[in-house]
Amino acid sequence: MLTQYILMEQYIPYVFLGNALLVIVDATLGYFMAPLLLSKMEAAKAESAAWTANSIRKLLSVVVALYMFFNCMAYFGQNSLLLLIVTAVVILDIMLQLVVRWKVRRKE
């Protein structure tokens, strides 16, 4: 068990940088998905849709800040388990965004 932990130690910087890249990809997808999803809603009005898209984008910045906070906390604390949990959550978030986008486009 100790040897597995030592082997993981050498990959922590790469996982940290990979997480930072994944968070950027996640934020980009979320930034462009919010207006796309709102435009597909039939009940969305022009002025409320713009306000809702801006609200979602502000919430997205909070989520990205939390991802990066826990990513940095895990990296600088040398906590490889937390780093892998952050990786899994970000990848799950990206996958769910892609599934929602696929379902919205399928309904067209």
Side-chain angles (χ1 to χ4, degrees):
M1 172 114 177
L2 183 62
T3 57
Q4 291 175 343
Y5 181 74
I6 293 171
L7 290 175
M8 180 61 192
E9 288 281 322
Q10 65 186 355
Y11 296 112
I12 287 179
Y14 301 114
V15 175
F16 172 73
L17 293 174
N19 279 352
L21 181 64
L22 284 173
V23 168
I24 291 170
V25 169
D26 180 46
T28 304
L29 281 174
Y31 186 83
F32 291 111
M33 284 285 293
L36 178 69
L37 291 175
L38 289 173
S39 69
K40 299 298 178 191
M41 293 174 54
E42 294 174 18
K45 295 185 171 101
E47 61 226 19
S48 67
W51 180 81
T52 307
N54 286 336
S55 298
I56 291 173
R57 286 177 174 167
K58 287 178 186 176
L59 179 65
L60 177 66
S61 64
V62 171
V63 170
V64 167
L66 283 173
Y67 284 158
M68 286 308 295
F69 171 75
F70 285 112
N71 192 34
C72 292
M73 188 172 83
Y75 175 70
F76 292 112
Q78 296 294 311
N79 188 346
S80 58
L81 179 62
L82 181 59
L83 200 59
L84 292 176
I85 290 171
V86 171
T87 305
V89 169
V90 173
I91 289 173
L92 179 68
D93 188 14
I94 291 172
M95 287 174 45
L96 289 175
Q97 286 185 39
L98 293 175
V99 166
V100 167
R101 183 176 182 177
W102 176 71
K103 285 188 176 193
V104 166
R105 284 192 174 191
R106 199 172 119 203
K107 285 186 179 183
E108 289 180 350

